[in-house]
Amino acid sequence: MVSSLRMFRLSSLLLPAIGFVLGATGATAQDAAPHAHHHAPSVFTADDVFELEYADDPQISPDGSQVVYVRRYFDSHSDRVRSNLWIVDRDGQQAHRPLLTGLSNFGAPRWSPDGTRILYTASDEAGRGQLFLRWMDTGQTAMLTRFERTPGGVSWSPDGQQIAFTMFVPESRPAFAKGATKPDGASWAPAPTSYEELHYRSDGQGFLKPGFSHVFVLPADGGTPRQLTQGPFQHRGTPVWTPDGEALLISANRREDARHETNDTEIYEIKLQDGTMRALTDRYGPDRSPTLSPDGNWVAYTSYLDENRAHQVNQLWVVPREGGEARLMLSDFDYDVESPVWLADGSGICFAYDIEGDRRVGFLDRDGQVSDRARSMGGTSLGRPYTSGNWSVSDTGDVAFTYATASQPADLALSNGHKTLLLTALNADLLGQRSMAKVTELRWESKHDGLPIHGWLVMPPGKSGDAKPPLILEIHGGPATAYGPWFSAEIQLFAAAGYAVLYCNPRGSTSYGQDFADAIYQAYPGHDYDDLMSGVDLLVEQGTVDPEQLFVTGGSGGGLLSAWIVTQTDRFAAAAIAKPVINWYSFALTSDVGMGFMKRYFPGAPWDHAEDYLARSPIHFVDQVTTPSMLITGEVDWRTPMSESEQFYQALKALDVDAALVRIPEASHGIAARPSHLIAKVNHILAWFERYRKEA
């Protein structure tokens, strides 16, 4: 009960009165929240994980006067992340108050165009996600749907009378084979299941039921939904209404060979009257996230010409709605454009992008100039310091977003493009009483070719004297992702245990441009090893860490690189290899994304290029490993299946190398998704490292 009740703690109700001004949009202070304590604070502990909470999915009202957001917290009884809806006025001076709370996991709030109602999702009595409506003047609520499956991508019509969304529609198929007649009362084995699709399972979802995602419309006061799209095609994202309310835009793949060309989507216009569809784009690649100009004449969207590379920068395009040639809007902008939104006054387009590990909201004006409306957006990935965060923009151009630092998870903030106002300080009561590890930015050059590498050093809290702490090199996954200067429960726990932690963005990481991403094209793992080791060498040469106590860990792509490192060097005292790729050949044919890696990370299929796959597989060099290595993976991980870890573990045991295999029950690729699993992951890694850590 304690974890649920803490959502209503007194400090949370009083915090919005701070209205903390961060100053310029680029403010990146590590300690925006007040830290009032009168005694020596303790370090961050595993028990504190269950006390963390963070802001997510902020939605600013059309007039910019209020922000409703999802407030997430960890429930110790269910061992789950729970979500409630809270609301606060734009200046942070009015009461920060709960809007919808409880154990139903309220989420996805969306304001009606006139700001009088909020659409949101919550669970019904059977635990199924449904759409609900709340009238803001009376507080009355109504359940609008009784679906068997949860709708997504919800959007209001311009007049507030209809709601569009996407939803999975199952496809009925005849039985593969006829079974025998089961006698009454008999206890038989479960019936076999059969699959004939190329993509038949997905990490986090398990084995997939046949069917497709389609577009629906529903009266805003409830009723029977109408399915607009048909056929064996996937329709993804959020439907976008035309200003006259007579049509919708959606990203879809309607190719006959879509199962092999999953990335080739177009922007379609769907007429509400009869469901007819017209493609607005036509080129090879992912056309996504459409947004309409206020006059309805132009469609902005994100896309790139797909060349089957490991990562390609997502660009901003504009096409005439009535037909014509698409135009690239930011030809010299070398960062991924995400979720463009055309402002209500037509003055320009807001969009999200990452630059050197920092997520921002950019603004493209009519003159083609780009400026920032918000910076330091993040804090919704609590386990490791990945770039993350969410935002929305009002009709007046104000941006509500999740503001974060290295010492605080996501809070709610508001920016007008000139100054940023912090509206919440959700963890000040907890983290204000803790001595948090300091995060310092580092830059160095790779010893391979001098490529600039960007990283961060986390030192144990309260470190004093000349003693050199042991070092943990922590490596991100992807590899087309990025770390940044954000709060990380796992890294804070490593530092609290007395370790310095180095994390960075080696070549292939996003947010540093196309050339940086291309540096591992069909060469992964490779010289990213040199980037990582150059950072370790820098700290050793500076005398910052103990060169005899080096440890390495990482997950997914970071697990692959951790395994690769111990095949290349014996400098590390121990390794903790989480959910890795160990054998590219087996990964390509067992992972739910293996087919994509065949096309983007290798010159072709493994049966045609076996030597290429072996040359970059840690299992091929396992006989060179002497480093004690622990493997840790979820038992229902379909991204990097358990069989990958088992191959390396059994090979190490056969070679008489110290090794351990840790299996996380019921966990998919996100092995730290549940709070107890996050804690268990950290504790197992630390326990393994302690076996090989020298006494101080």
Side-chain angles (χ1 to χ4, degrees):
M1 185 64 70
V2 172
S3 292
S4 298
L5 289 177
R6 71 182 293 271
M7 291 297 296
F8 300 95
R9 62 198 180 197
L10 181 61
S11 60
S12 295
L13 295 174
L14 296 178
L15 282 173
I18 62 174
F20 193 89
V21 177
L22 300 177
T25 305
T28 56
Q30 281 205 15
D31 300 297
H35 284 233
H37 44 72
H38 305 287
H39 54 84
S42 58
V43 297
F44 185 72
T45 68
D47 289 339
D48 291 332
V49 170
F50 276 104
E51 298 301 313
L52 292 171
E53 51 185 316
Y54 61 98
D56 200 1
D57 197 9
Q59 294 296 314
I60 190 168
S61 60
D63 64 1
S65 64
Q66 294 178 300
V67 182
V68 62
Y69 73 99
V70 178
R71 185 166 172 173
R72 301 195 189 277
Y73 67 101
F74 296 141
D75 178 39
S76 60
H77 291 274
S78 65
D79 189 26
R80 298 285 185 182
V81 179
R82 296 292 187 187
S83 58
N84 293 167
L85 299 185
W86 284 61
I87 192 167
V88 63
D89 288 346
R90 65 167 291 124
D91 59 4
Q93 298 303 310
Q94 298 300 315
H96 178 209
R97 53 198 181 275
L99 192 66
L100 291 160
T101 60
L103 298 179
S104 292
N105 282 335
F106 303 96
R110 295 296 181 267
W111 291 91
S112 62
D114 61 3
T116 63
R117 293 161 292 168
I118 287 180
L119 193 69
Y120 63 94
T121 60
S123 302
D124 62 14
E125 62 276 5
R128 300 167 302 190
Q130 305 292 350
L131 293 179
F132 290 76
L133 190 63
R134 179 185 176 93
W135 284 261
M136 298 304 291
D137 56 351
T138 66
Q140 291 175 301
T141 62
M143 186 165 69
L144 301 183
T145 63
R146 286 281 185 182
F147 295 149
E148 291 296 320
R149 294 159 193 86
T150 303
V154 179
S155 63
W156 287 89
S157 64
D159 61 5
Q161 299 303 305
Q162 298 185 84
I163 297 162
F165 57 90
T166 58
M167 188 169 63
F168 178 78
V169 177
E171 183 181 57
S172 60
R173 297 180 182 178
F176 187 89
K178 185 178 180 181
T181 302
K182 180 180 177 182
D184 293 340
S187 178
W188 284 18
T193 54
S194 59
Y195 304 91
E196 296 186 64
E197 296 295 325
L198 179 62
H199 302 283
Y200 65 98
R201 65 182 179 184
S202 179
D203 186 69
Q205 300 180 61
F207 291 86
L208 303 175
K209 296 182 180 298
F212 300 91
S213 178
H214 285 288
V215 179
F216 292 79
V217 291
L218 175 76
D221 55 359
T224 302
R226 180 162 63 100
Q227 183 175 333
L228 286 181
T229 57
Q230 309 292 332
F233 308 111
Q234 303 289 2
H235 304 81
R236 306 292 194 188
T238 300
V240 176
W241 291 84
T242 57
D244 58 14
E246 296 181 356
L248 293 166
L249 302 183
I250 191 70
S251 174
N253 185 337
R254 295 181 63 88
R255 295 177 56 132
E256 293 298 326
D257 60 349
R259 65 175 187 168
H260 286 284
E261 296 289 352
T262 57
N263 206 39
D264 187 20
T265 58
E266 311 296 345
I267 306 298
Y268 287 88
E269 179 177 295
I270 312 168
K271 293 292 186 182
L272 262 67
Q273 183 178 9
D274 55 12
T276 56
M277 300 182 67
R278 177 173 63 93
L280 305 185
T281 61
D282 182 21
R283 72 169 189 164
Y284 186 66
D287 298 340
R288 297 175 290 206
S289 303
T291 181
L292 265 167
S293 60
D295 61 11
N297 293 329
W298 297 88
V299 179
Y301 62 99
T302 64
S303 181
Y304 57 82
L305 180 61
D306 194 353
E307 298 176 339
N308 283 328
R309 305 189 78 77
H311 174 74
Q312 292 177 244
V313 169
N314 215 26
Q315 300 169 308
L316 181 65
W317 292 79
V318 170
V319 66
R321 180 182 161 201
E322 295 306 317
E325 187 175 352
R327 182 158 56 97
L328 179 62
M329 297 302 294
L330 294 169
S331 58
D332 297 326
F333 195 76
D334 204 17
Y335 307 100
D336 287 293
V337 173
E338 300 177 14
S339 309
V341 177
W342 219 304
L343 294 193
D345 61 3
S347 60
I349 300 171
C350 281
F351 58 92
Y353 74 101
D354 294 343
I355 177 170
E356 296 189 348
D358 180 27
R359 178 154 293 180
R360 302 179 181 181
V361 177
F363 177 65
L364 173 66
D365 64 23
R366 289 192 184 102
D367 297 325
Q369 300 300 308
V370 175
S371 59
D372 286 334
R373 287 290 176 101
R375 295 185 180 182
S376 299
M377 179 166 63
T380 59
S381 174
L382 263 60
R384 296 195 281 163
Y386 283 109
T387 54
S388 64
N390 296 288
W391 62 286
S392 65
V393 60
S394 70
D395 289 348
T396 60
D398 293 328
V399 174
F401 67 104
T402 55
Y403 174 86
T405 70
S407 58
Q408 296 279 346
D411 273 301
L412 183 63
L414 187 73
S415 172
N416 62 6
H418 304 291
K419 67 178 181 179
T420 297
L421 184 69
L422 187 64
L423 301 180
T424 65
L426 300 179
N427 293 282
D429 56 344
L430 169 68
L431 301 183
Q433 303 176 54
R434 299 291 182 266
S435 177
M436 306 302 292
K438 184 180 180 181
V439 179
T440 304
E441 183 180 41
L442 292 177
R443 294 182 186 268
W444 62 87
E445 293 184 352
S446 174
K447 292 186 177 179
H448 167 64
D449 56 5
L451 186 69
I453 305 299
H454 189 197
W456 294 266
L457 174 65
V458 187
M459 295 296 286
K463 179 189 177 300
S464 60
D466 297 328
K468 299 176 183 179
L471 174 70
I472 295 177
L473 171 64
E474 210 284 339
I475 311 170
H476 76 62
T481 55
Y483 276 165
W486 312 121
F487 178 86
S488 163
E490 294 183 29
I491 286 176
Q492 287 289 338
L493 290 171
F494 290 152
Y499 293 85
V501 183
L502 174 66
Y503 66 90
C504 68
N505 290 325
R507 67 188 67 207
S509 302
T510 55
S511 77
Y512 297 87
Q514 187 64 58
D515 289 345
F516 195 85
D518 278 344
I520 62 165
Y521 178 59
Q522 296 189 4
Y524 170 69
H527 294 303
D528 37 5
Y529 166 84
D530 300 294
D531 305 341
L532 296 164
M533 296 306 297
S534 296
V536 173
D537 290 341
L538 172 67
L539 297 180
V540 169
E541 292 163 5
Q542 290 178 342
T544 304
V545 299
D546 186 345
E548 300 301 318
Q549 297 197 78
L550 304 178
F551 301 86
V552 62
T553 188
S556 193
L560 163 66
L561 280 167
S562 298
W564 185 258
I565 282 173
V566 297
T567 69
Q568 306 298 307
T569 181
D570 61 0
R571 290 180 62 186
F572 290 89
I577 302 165
K579 49 188 181 181
V581 177
I582 293 298
N583 181 338
W584 280 110
Y585 202 121
S586 59
F587 168 84
L589 298 172
T590 57
S591 169
D592 65 337
V593 296
M595 297 294 178
F597 275 78
M598 286 187 197
K599 295 171 64 175
R600 300 181 183 279
Y601 286 80
F602 291 91
W607 48 86
D608 291 326
H609 302 275
E611 290 303 317
D612 292 274
Y613 282 73
L614 281 175
R616 303 214 305 274
S617 295
I619 194 67
H620 191 53
F621 305 97
V622 68
D623 60 341
Q624 300 178 30
V625 178
T626 59
T627 304
S629 299
M630 179 182 75
L631 287 299
I632 178 168
T633 301
E635 290 188 339
V636 288
D637 186 337
W638 300 129
R639 185 62 42 82
T640 53
M642 175 63 73
S643 58
E644 292 295 302
S645 292
E646 289 173 333
Q647 289 180 62
F648 209 59
Y649 169 71
Q650 293 194 100
L652 291 173
K653 282 297 187 182
L655 292 165
D656 204 25
V657 177
D658 284 358
L661 177 67
V662 180
R663 302 168 63 94
I664 307 296
E666 301 178 2
S668 60
H669 196 60
I671 57 175
R674 300 183 71 170
S676 68
H677 281 166
L678 186 155
I679 294 168
K681 174 189 174 185
V682 171
N683 286 348
H684 275 79
I685 291 172
L686 288 175
W688 183 251
F689 288 171
E690 286 299 311
R691 290 190 186 185
Y692 305 96
R693 179 176 171 179
K694 298 178 181 178
E695 292 293 333

